[in-house]
């Protein structure tokens, strides 16, 4: 079992930056490919970014490319999502998810992840 805990959400103005954290714990934190998703009210869960367990394989959703950066610190068992130039349409609950796989695979579909955090809300005002 893997437990994930997100933090760092909050209320910011458009154009601001925010960094989210996803801390992993449990029986094994090796070979965890981590993804960030978000879900706005009334909308489906959307892929944001993912990083393979090697830290070098990255993928981003089209709506955040060039503004968001995903990274990981394996010494801290934590994955970060640096969000710059935030827009009101970035408002959502942000979730991190983990997929255990010895292969480095960055998945973009929610159903492909095994464990989820409880989410952290991000609100971007005009």
């Amino acid at each position: 079992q893997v437990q994930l805990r997100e933090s760092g959400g909050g209320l910011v103005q458009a154009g601001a930056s925010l960094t989210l954290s996803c801390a992993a714990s449990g029986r094994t934190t090796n070979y965890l490919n981590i993804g960030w998703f978000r879900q706005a009210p009334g909308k489906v869960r959307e892929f944001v970014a993912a990083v393979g367990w090697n830290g070098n394989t990255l993928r981003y959703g089209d709506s955040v490319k060039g503004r968001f950066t995903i990274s990981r610190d394996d010494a801290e068992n934590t994955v970060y999502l640096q969000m710059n130039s935030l827009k009101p349409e970035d408002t959502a609950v942000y979730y991190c998810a983990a997929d255990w796989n010895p292969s480095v695979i960055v998945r973009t579909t929610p159903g492909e992840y095994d464990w989820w955090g409880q989410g952290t809300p991000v609100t971007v005002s005009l």
Side-chain angles (χ1 to χ4, degrees), residues 76-97:
E76 297 293 329
N77 290 327
T78 300
V79 172
Y80 302 97
L81 184 68
Q82 172 69 41
M83 306 186 295
N84 298 327
S85 303
L86 283 163
K87 306 174 181 179
E89 50 264 45
D90 293 319
T91 295
V93 177
Y94 284 71
Y95 300 89
C96 66

Side-chain angles (χ1 to χ4, degrees), residues 12-104:
V12 296
Q13 290 188 323
S17 297
L18 205 58
T19 299
L20 306 183
S21 299
C22 172
S25 62
R27 292 183 60 184
T28 178
T29 54
N30 295 324
Y31 301 125
L32 290 182
N33 302 299
I34 302 291
W36 281 99
F37 292 80
R38 66 187 182 186
Q39 189 164 17
K43 295 190 176 181
V44 299
R45 194 162 292 191
E46 177 190 13
F47 170 72
V48 175
V51 58
W53 61 259
N54 65 352
N56 297 323
T57 303
L58 311 175
R59 194 163 180 181
Y60 295 93
D62 289 340
S63 61
V64 306
K65 281 180 182 176
R67 299 189 298 123
F68 290 12
T69 302
I70 190 170
S71 62
R72 62 191 298 155
D73 182 344
D74 288 332
E76 297 293 329
N77 290 327
T78 300
V79 172
Y80 302 97
L81 184 68
Q82 172 69 41
M83 306 186 295
N84 298 327
S85 303
L86 283 163
K87 306 174 181 179
E89 50 264 45
D90 293 319
T91 295
V93 177
Y94 284 71
Y95 300 89
C96 66
D99 162 50
W100 187 92
N101 198 315
S103 299
V104 178

Side-chain angles (χ1 to χ4, degrees), residues 92-122:
V93 177
Y94 284 71
Y95 300 89
C96 66
D99 162 50
W100 187 92
N101 198 315
S103 299
V104 178
I105 301 175
V106 285
R107 305 184 187 276
T108 63
T109 305
E112 295 178 295
Y113 285 86
D114 300 314
W115 299 283
W116 290 82
Q118 81 289 348
T120 185
V122 172

